[in-house]
Amino acid sequence: MTVNNTRPITPELVAEHGLNEEEYARIVELTDREPTFTELGIWSAMWNEHCSYKSSKRWLKTLPTEGPRVVHGPGENAGVVSIGDGDVVVFKMESHNHPSYIEPYQGAATGVGGILRDVFTMGARPIATMNALRFGEPDHPKTRHLVSGVVAGVGGYGNSFGVPCVGGEVNFHPRYNGNILVNAFAAGIAKEDGIYISKAEGVGLPVVYLGAKTGRDGVGGATMASAEFDDSIDDKRPTVQVGDPFTEKCLLEACLELMETGAVIAIQDMGAAGLTCSAVEMGAKGDLGIKLNLDDVPVRETAMTAYEMMLSESQERMLMVLRPQKEDEANAIFVKWGLDFAIVGETTNTLRFEVFHQGEKVADLPIKELGDEAPEYDRPWVEPGKHSPMERHLFAPPDDYNAALIKLIGSPDLASRRWVWEQYDTMIQGNTLLRPGGDAGVVRVDGHPCKALAFSSDVTPRYVEADPYEGGKQAVAECYRNLIATGAEPLATTDNLNFGNPEKPEIMGQFVAAIRGIGEACEALKMPIVSGNVSLYNETSNANGGGEAILPTPTIAAVGLIEDHACMARIGTADEGDALFLVGTEAEHLAQTLYQREILGEETGPAPEVDLKMERARGDFVLAAIRSGYASACHDISDGGLAIALAEMCLASDCGADCEIDITYPHAALFGEDQARYIVAVDHEWANMFAANSEGSGVSFARIGTVTAAGAGARLKINDLVDVAVADLREAHEAWFPDFMGQTALAEAAE
Amino acid sequence: MKTTIIQFPGSNRDRDMIAAISLISGQSPALAWHTNTALPDSDLIIIPGGFSHGDYLRSGAIAARAPVMDAVRNAADKGVRILGVCNGFQTLTEAGLLPGALMRNAGLTFVCKNVMLEVANNTNPFTARYAQGEVIRCPVAHHDGNYFADPATLQQIEDNGQVAFRYAESTNPNGSQNNIAGIFNAAGNVLGMMPHPENLVEPAHGGTDGRRLFEGALNMIETQFALGAA
Amino acid sequence: MPTYNATVTVRLKNGVLDPQGKAIEGALGSLGFDGVEQVRQGKTFDVVLDATTEDAAKESLNAMCEKLLANTVIEDYAVEVAG
Amino acid sequence: MPTYNATVTVRLKNGVLDPQGKAIEGALGSLGFDGVEQVRQGKTFDVVLDATTEDAAKESLNAMCEKLLANTVIEDYAVEVAG
Ligand SMILES: Nc1ncnc2c1ncn2[C@@H]1O[C@H](COP(=O)(O)OP(=O)(O)O)[C@@H](O)[C@H]1O
Ligand SMILES: [Mg+2]
């Protein structure tokens, strides 16, 4: 059955493995001979874009990754940031775009499973997840099916595993018609001295396999070609990965118990190209060789070849180096949790990656080169062009402000996501202080009297498309604002950079400019990047054979620290009589706004610009105001502008608002999407004090109105422009998603 | 009063329950693994929420057949108070300790939200701290909470006053018959409910109405409560 | 000991409501399939087991259904052994 | 138009992980059923439908599977019409 390994290496086969000629030449040089079939698979797995970041590395290096609180930056399974008292928060975001398009439920589910594994592999117990989702236009025939499958999959995995979902995003745009985005975020908490990494230490130590059995899940198309050398082709067809949250939950508990015993020297989860990447990483990082015997790998299918075992992406698997003295304790734990485990190899001092199967050595490669010498490209790129400014007078006002407001609040990108997040367990673990539906999600630090963590995920792809640099800055800035709006100090950031084909200079140009913007913003807002993920080649092949790229979508997720959740802020706690303040100035920017898209039916012009100094100044001010107890409610102003933000606050707080705003250009002021702005509701007794403070701190602000009575009669009034029943806003806001999904959702869920 | 919490592989609201019991009773509960054949002597045994054994096959089905359930059954026969929440409720029905079954939610999706609960029978230690007919807000989080029993059984449950809680103010999240959210066994010492009182026991939860259920279950009330007089 | 391939089918009892079946009925309708009068969803278990005889296999499969595979409060079952 | 009783059986494709089946195997084992080598769980749909002919019924049932009843990425299906 190892016949596969003697398969001749043809140029076609090399190409099938996504390797170009220079890459293959380099491989032959490093291997010091022609690689075997299995070795070719191993090289291709280590050198593909996903594992090697060969197109993006050069630019990722430019991101700020350090800060006083950063314990582990990029390079480990997840970023690690100190939150004081010896505690750390461990978090990362990762994409599962393509699998979710092929099989939405399992694709999304295994995406969530993968990111949770990244977090608990480091010794952290997961405490929160988020999911950033992008789908094609609502009317596209595939969209409903994908939405219901993805949402059910995210929930199906996270709910069973037992971690609350506290936030995310859902956007719709034709540019995702053939290539949806599923970006999953997870965060966990650990003790700083209880963090585990993949770097192996010590020679002659057992390499232990733990978790689910290995099948042919996700083994690349190349195996199909290799199947011609096999009799039973049908059984060897590569299969879609299926998630098993139950096994993952057992794996979590087993790993944490194992770490408690002190048995773990190094640990690495098996993600993409599972056994290959995890084993090589452990060895390369530890300057050790690794010897694997595939005959000892627990398999769930017969006649698996070495190639298949090395490239299998079966889920819920871990690789560890354990202290031999602790073997009995370890065994007891694995048995207790009913997990398959086996000693599949050992560490060596040879710096070679040696793989044996059925008595034959099927691979013998230099481990450092596998790990570290992947090609790194400086792909050609062109600086994206700038749109010339579009003055506000170029945009028609609405015929009817009330109608416009109701249309916007009920539009696909602004309608309530309740239909989505009510399918996620948002309360499990009993620490959720702020569920989805506001700005950031907030979770208490378990066991700590007053600390809490805030989480938000943001990017506005239409801005990034219009101006990758400003759009990159804006993604970070909006994330920052969402954290600030709950009273959290932004700590650190993770990113999930979703772009098209990097071999196209204009796409690479988007990537480069977006990273420049993200880097500057993270620097200025003191939220270093501690982990991340890059997803390239997100394109839909269009009629004329070419590929149309998705909107450039660098999703930014960040974590903030609330020192005392007794004085945090929410969007939904405004009280009758509160004074409403706008922190910021009158909006002027209407290009690329939802007003332009939904009301005027255009998507043109430049993105709003982000003044990072101003973001910081206003953010600091709002944070201070919240922490000193001024804000009875707070909400940042983003999509849809001031009017939408006011409407969202009225809906969340179930109140009305009476606003007299001093404005010069109504529809720009109400719907413009200028950045660095917040709405703060302040108890009227404190209103003057708050105003005085704003004066003092030099941030621009305006007192714009008063919160009015809750209940049936509640109305949102803005000057002589807007006067709508909050009930009508709610109707439009809540109706869209359920109406859109309707029967389909039921049918899909039945599967 | 001594509390024991049963843990199955896949239980995931066990930690919430441990926290709630510790907070309310000031004592940390004993824990019993699903393979145990004996239980520490307890006044209250709790089967917590989660996805025991992944809820594969049917929710609670595999858990209901675990060795520890014989011990639970014996305790129930002796009159020890048993509380099953969510997956615990499903497990108790699968084990035959409570009548009926919990089917897939009528909407077919997992649902996590706050619902309104009416106390349908407060003549029982579990519910004694609530007023008859009192309506409280309480979270639910489940995929299979749609209570079903055949007409005869349903009639019996109603006649015996075995309905402990009903979804109120048209917040029935799962299509349960008669808006049933929680039921007692005929003897009144076993309570199963889908909602999560353990996630409603401190101000940070947005309310503390769940406390009274545990306070009722945990205090030493020797008098046998007459059922049926609901 | 010979090996048998068996299929166990578990169906909801008549009168037990079937939310999934109902939803699928509706969905099929909205997908334009007319003439669908009823859909009831059930489960199958394809079991490979060793047993001394086919009858022994049947017997233990019935026991499996009673003990685990079916919830006899709401479900009926049928066992088929291919041999 | 005559009415047909049909049964659609949906099974996971070969090699696709079946966590449910795996869990059931384990449970049967600990309940003392030895000799169970494998369990794979599938779905059945009992469909009552009106169609002009048996072939017409089969045809529309196949269409239902492709469109809704089966997830053909990971599942195979079989249609049986009792008539
Ligand atoms: N996929 C999702 N899962 C969970 N929560 C979501 C999801 N999508 C949106 N939300 C929540 O809905 C609310 C509104 O989303 P959004 O408009 O993106 O917020 P913001 O404009 O403040 O970034 C937020 O609380 C967000 O966390
Ligand atoms: Mg916001």
Side-chain angles (χ1 to χ4, degrees):
Chain A
M1 275 318 306
T2 50
V3 53
N4 272 346
N5 203 40
T6 65
R7 180 172 183 198
I9 309 298
T10 62
E12 297 70 37
L13 190 60
V14 171
E16 274 172 31
H17 282 76
L19 297 162
N20 63 35
E21 283 167 23
E22 309 89 274
E23 287 171 343
Y24 182 66
R26 181 93 178 104
I27 284 170
V28 173
E29 182 184 327
L30 292 172
T31 313
D32 208 8
R33 57 181 158 74
E34 176 177 272
T36 66
F37 180 56
T38 303
E39 288 174 332
L40 180 67
I42 292 172
W43 280 114
S44 74
M46 293 307 299
W47 282 17
N48 70 16
E49 192 65 59
H50 184 84
C51 290
S52 71
Y53 291 87
K54 56 190 169 190
S55 303
S56 56
K57 216 189 288 168
R58 176 177 189 286
W59 300 103
L60 295 177
K61 284 181 191 152
T62 66
L63 290 168
T65 60
E66 279 160 14
R69 289 178 177 272
V70 177
V71 178
H72 284 292
E76 295 304 332
N77 287 305
V80 180
V81 176
S82 167
I83 58 171
D85 302 314
D87 294 327
V88 291
V89 57
V90 177
F91 63 98
K92 185 174 190 285
M93 179 159 47
E94 198 156 81
S95 64
H96 227 211
N97 303 337
H98 186 59
S100 301
Y101 185 77
I102 301 299
E103 209 308 277
Y105 184 100
Q106 295 300 342
T110 51
V112 172
I115 196 64
L116 286 167
R117 233 156 24 247
D118 277 328
V119 165
F120 71 76
T121 300
M122 299 198 71
R125 179 175 287 277
I127 59 152
T129 64
M130 297 191 284
N131 59 114
L133 312 177
R134 262 94 198 170
F135 299 101
E137 58 200 318
D139 297 339
H140 188 277
K142 266 182 147 300
T143 300
R144 279 185 185 78
H145 162 76
L146 291 166
V147 172
S148 64
V150 164
V151 170
V154 169
Y157 206 101
N159 298 341
S160 175
F161 181 84
V163 57
C165 177
V166 300
E169 303 172 86
V170 180
N171 288 159
F172 299 89
H173 195 283
R175 293 274 289 280
Y176 303 107
N177 278 353
N179 191 312
I180 64 171
L181 301 183
V182 174
N183 296 175
F185 169 98
I189 287 185
K191 284 285 165 201
E192 181 163 353
D193 57 14
I195 288 292
Y196 290 81
I197 57 178
S198 53
K199 177 173 184 281
E201 280 168 1
V203 173
L205 296 175
V207 174
V208 177
Y209 172 116
L210 174 65
K213 289 187 166 68
T214 295
R216 295 193 171 93
D217 314 72
V219 176
T223 7
M224 275 315 289
S226 70
E228 73 207 43
F229 289 81
D230 194 275
D231 6 288
S232 55
I233 292 180
D234 222 25
D235 299 350
K236 300 185 121 288
R237 197 157 269 128
T239 51
V240 172
Q241 309 162 21
V242 168
D244 181 358
F246 169 63
T247 297
E248 177 119 322
K249 165 71 168 165
C250 294
L251 202 52
L252 161 73
E253 300 299 342
C255 286
L256 295 187
E257 280 183 24
L258 199 61
M259 289 164 176
E260 275 295 308
T261 68
V264 179
I265 295 173
I267 177 167
Q268 176 64 35
D269 68 301
M270 297 191 222
L275 202 46
T276 296
C277 281
S278 50
V280 168
E281 180 141 335
M282 283 184 152
K285 282 191 174 161
D287 291 321
L288 293 167
I290 299 275
K291 203 181 267 184
L292 291 182
N293 184 353
L294 299 183
D295 303 338
D296 297 328
V297 171
V299 292
R300 71 164 201 270
E301 290 172 68
T302 55
M304 285 192 69
T305 66
Y307 179 99
E308 291 168 326
M309 286 194 235
M310 292 310 292
L311 269 65
S312 165
E313 297 191 347
S314 293
Q315 301 288 299
E316 292 94 23
R317 301 181 301 161
M318 290 276 184
L319 205 62
M320 319 190 265
V321 176
L322 295 183
R323 289 199 168 70
Q325 312 84 302
K326 298 278 187 176
E327 193 174 346
D328 298 350
E329 277 166 277
N331 290 1
I333 290 168
F334 301 158
V335 170
K336 171 185 174 190
W337 291 101
L339 295 164
D340 281 298
F341 68 97
I343 296 178
V344 296
E346 64 173 2
T347 57
T348 69
N349 57 6
T350 60
L351 285 181
R352 305 288 298 177
F353 184 45
E354 301 167 274
V355 182
F356 296 82
H357 187 225
Q358 297 174 352
E360 187 198 350
K361 187 185 256 191
V362 292
D364 184 349
L365 299 169
I367 204 161
K368 295 291 278 185
E369 287 73 1
L370 267 175
D372 312 343
E373 299 218 351
E376 178 178 327
Y377 294 126
D378 182 359
R379 298 205 184 269
W381 58 280
V382 292
E383 186 69 40
K386 283 263 177 198
H387 291 266
S388 43
M390 286 175 73
E391 298 299 329
R392 49 191 172 173
H393 65 262
L394 298 171
F395 299 83
D399 323 330
D400 174 342
Y401 278 83
N402 293 333
L405 185 54
I406 286 181
K407 178 155 196 258
L408 273 172
I409 199 83
S411 65
D413 277 359
L414 282 176
S416 168
R417 273 69 180 113
R418 179 184 305 278
W419 183 91
V420 174
W421 48 259
E422 280 189 349
Q423 294 186 50
Y424 303 153
D425 196 329
T426 53
M427 306 190 205
I428 188 163
Q429 297 185 11
N431 290 319
T432 307
L433 297 178
L434 206 44
R435 299 168 62 206
D439 293 322
V442 177
V443 170
R444 279 189 302 182
V445 175
D446 198 59
H448 192 282
C450 53
K451 268 188 196 170
L453 293 169
F455 304 91
S456 184
S457 156
D458 299 274
V459 60
T460 312
R462 65 181 187 277
Y463 293 170
V464 188
E465 167 83 358
D467 185 334
Y469 168 69
E470 289 297 333
K473 281 161 60 183
Q474 194 275 341
V476 178
E478 182 173 349
C479 199
Y480 169 87
R481 285 199 298 272
N482 279 319
L483 297 176
I484 293 281
T486 64
E489 169 202 1
L491 292 184
T493 310
T494 183
D495 63 53
N496 198 148
L497 309 175
N498 309 273
F499 288 79
N501 179 351
E503 293 159 45
K504 298 180 182 170
E506 59 285 5
I507 298 287
M508 200 58 208
Q510 289 178 336
F511 185 80
V512 171
I515 287 206
R516 199 188 312 134
I518 290 167
E520 284 180 23
C522 288
E523 190 74 60
L525 302 175
K526 298 274 174 292
M527 37 202 291
I529 303 263
V530 294
S531 59
N533 174 247
V534 177
S535 171
L536 300 174
Y537 299 96
N538 290 290
E539 304 218 339
T540 307
S541 43
N542 54 24
N544 44 31
E548 185 188 36
I550 57 164
L551 292 178
T553 311
T555 311
I556 295 295
V559 177
L561 177 62
I562 295 174
E563 289 290 352
D564 179 0
H565 53 72
C567 44
M568 60 177 280
R570 296 169 162 84
I571 181 180
T573 47
D575 295 318
E576 180 173 4
D578 289 350
L580 287 168
F581 285 87
L582 164 68
V583 173
T585 48
E586 176 179 349
E588 302 184 355
H589 190 98
L590 281 169
Q592 297 298 344
T593 59
L594 288 181
Y595 173 81
Q596 181 197 32
R597 187 172 92 195
E598 299 295 325
I599 306 298
L600 306 181
E602 296 169 1
E603 276 182 82
T604 58
E609 294 188 353
V610 179
D611 178 333
L612 293 167
K613 277 207 188 57
M614 199 183 286
E615 281 288 353
R616 187 73 200 285
R618 292 178 186 170
D620 286 345
F621 170 74
V622 172
L623 182 57
I626 292 171
R627 291 192 162 181
S628 38
Y630 280 110
S632 65
C634 184
H635 184 33
D636 74 308
I637 299 175
S638 55
D639 283 338
L642 174 64
I644 286 296
L646 282 167
E648 288 172 339
M649 188 176 266
C650 289
L651 289 170
S653 298
D654 189 21
C655 63
D658 216 331
C659 299
E660 264 311 321
I661 315 177
D662 166 16
I663 46 182
T664 58
Y665 217 98
H667 64 295
L670 264 55
F671 300 113
E673 295 179 7
D674 299 52
Q675 300 294 300
R677 305 192 307 149
Y678 305 78
I679 296 174
V680 183
V682 179
D683 185 313
H684 67 282
E685 285 187 19
W686 300 108
N688 294 335
M689 186 82 97
F690 180 85
N693 289 347
S694 321
E695 295 277 8
S697 61
V699 305
S700 1
F701 74 99
R703 186 165 178 168
I704 58 171
T706 310
V707 176
T708 56
R715 299 187 75 80
L716 171 58
K717 299 183 186 173
I718 306 174
N719 298 3
D720 55 359
L721 302 164
V722 173
D723 183 355
V724 289
V726 172
D728 296 341
L729 290 170
R730 190 179 306 282
E731 164 60 22
H733 189 56
E734 293 294 344
W736 185 82
F737 226 114
D739 292 352
F740 168 56
M741 294 311 292
Q743 187 65 46
T744 325
L746 292 182
E748 299 276 351
E751 293 193 356
Chain B
M1 298 281 285
K2 292 184 239 51
T3 307
T4 300
I5 294 175
I6 313 288
Q7 294 176 300
F8 300 91
S11 297
N12 64 20
R13 261 188 172 82
D14 48 341
R15 298 168 62 84
D16 305 42
M17 192 61 81
I18 293 166
I21 292 297
S22 309
L23 180 76
I24 293 163
S25 73
Q27 299 168 8
S28 41
L31 303 177
W33 191 234
H34 67 119
T35 50
N36 294 15
T37 49
L39 294 173
D41 74 274
S42 327
D43 309 284
L44 173 64
I45 297 170
I46 301 178
I47 307 180
F51 287 65
S52 55
H53 295 276
D55 275 355
Y56 297 142
L57 184 59
R58 297 178 307 274
S59 295
I62 298 177
R65 284 132 183 106
V68 74
M69 288 306 291
D70 295 328
V72 172
R73 193 173 282 102
N74 293 336
D77 294 343
K78 293 204 193 70
V80 176
R81 289 173 193 161
I82 316 276
L83 170 64
V85 171
C86 198
N87 195 227
F89 185 14
Q90 295 160 339
T91 304
L92 289 170
T93 57
E94 278 283 345
L97 284 164
L98 287 172
L102 292 146
M103 320 272 298
R104 182 51 43 105
N105 294 345
L108 298 190
T109 59
F110 184 97
V111 52
C112 176
K113 53 162 38 161
N114 284 299
V115 299
M116 302 310 288
L117 283 187
E118 181 192 342
V119 178
N121 176 1
N122 74 337
T123 63
N124 180 293
F126 282 110
T127 49
R129 304 299 178 90
Y130 299 95
Q132 180 70 20
E134 178 178 357
V135 174
I136 64 167
R137 180 187 62 76
C138 191
V140 295
H142 58 255
H143 209 164
D144 296 310
N146 186 347
Y147 185 78
F148 172 87
D150 61 74
T153 311
L154 195 61
Q155 194 56 55
Q156 211 171 28
I157 294 170
E158 292 287 0
D159 295 348
N160 293 347
Q162 284 175 248
V163 178
F165 297 100
R166 288 184 212 275
Y167 301 110
E169 300 172 13
S170 48
T171 57
N172 184 337
N174 52 35
S176 290
Q177 291 175 326
N178 300 7
N179 292 316
I180 287 173
I183 57 170
F184 301 115
N185 64 342
N189 64 315
V190 179
L191 168 63
M193 63 192 293
M194 290 313 296
H196 288 284
E198 74 276 25
N199 286 148
L200 194 67
V201 297
E202 46 179 327
H205 292 159
T208 59
D209 284 337
R211 276 187 100 101
R212 285 180 281 161
L213 183 134
F214 297 101
E215 288 165 353
L218 281 169
N219 78 348
M220 319 276 201
I221 297 173
E222 297 310 329
T223 25
Q224 267 305 321
F225 281 78
L227 288 167
Chain C
M1 203 154 40
T3 302
Y4 296 89
N5 294 311
T7 300
V8 173
T9 312
V10 174
R11 294 186 161 88
L12 287 171
K13 291 197 158 102
N14 289 336
V16 176
L17 99 164
D18 174 13
Q20 274 129 316
K22 274 268 153 291
I24 293 168
E25 271 172 46
L28 288 173
S30 56
L31 284 172
F33 292 99
D34 339 322
V36 177
E37 289 183 3
Q38 192 194 43
V39 179
R40 303 274 289 173
Q41 183 167 343
K43 299 191 190 106
T44 61
F45 304 95
D46 296 316
V47 184
V48 181
L49 80 166
D50 308 334
T52 48
T53 65
E54 184 165 333
D55 289 351
K58 278 212 180 77
E59 199 174 308
S60 83
L61 286 161
N62 283 320
M64 293 179 201
C65 290
E66 289 292 334
K67 274 226 177 78
L68 180 69
L69 296 182
N71 175 353
T72 51
V73 175
I74 48 170
E75 296 171 324
D76 298 324
Y77 60 88
V79 168
E80 231 177 80
V81 178
Chain D
M1 202 152 46
T3 301
Y4 297 90
N5 293 310
T7 299
V8 173
T9 312
V10 176
R11 293 184 164 89
L12 282 172
K13 287 196 160 103
N14 241 325
V16 174
L17 175 70
D18 177 13
Q20 306 228 39
K22 213 177 78 209
I24 295 166
E25 269 169 48
L28 288 172
S30 45
L31 285 173
F33 293 100
D34 341 324
V36 176
E37 289 184 2
Q38 194 197 41
V39 179
R40 303 272 290 172
Q41 180 168 343
K43 298 193 206 110
T44 61
F45 302 93
D46 296 316
V47 184
V48 181
L49 79 166
D50 310 333
T52 47
T53 66
E54 183 165 331
D55 290 351
K58 279 214 180 79
E59 198 175 309
S60 82
L61 286 160
N62 284 320
M64 292 178 200
C65 290
E66 289 292 335
K67 277 226 173 71
L68 180 69
L69 299 181
N71 174 356
T72 52
V73 180
I74 52 174
E75 295 173 325
D76 297 324
Y77 60 88
V79 169
E80 233 178 77
V81 178

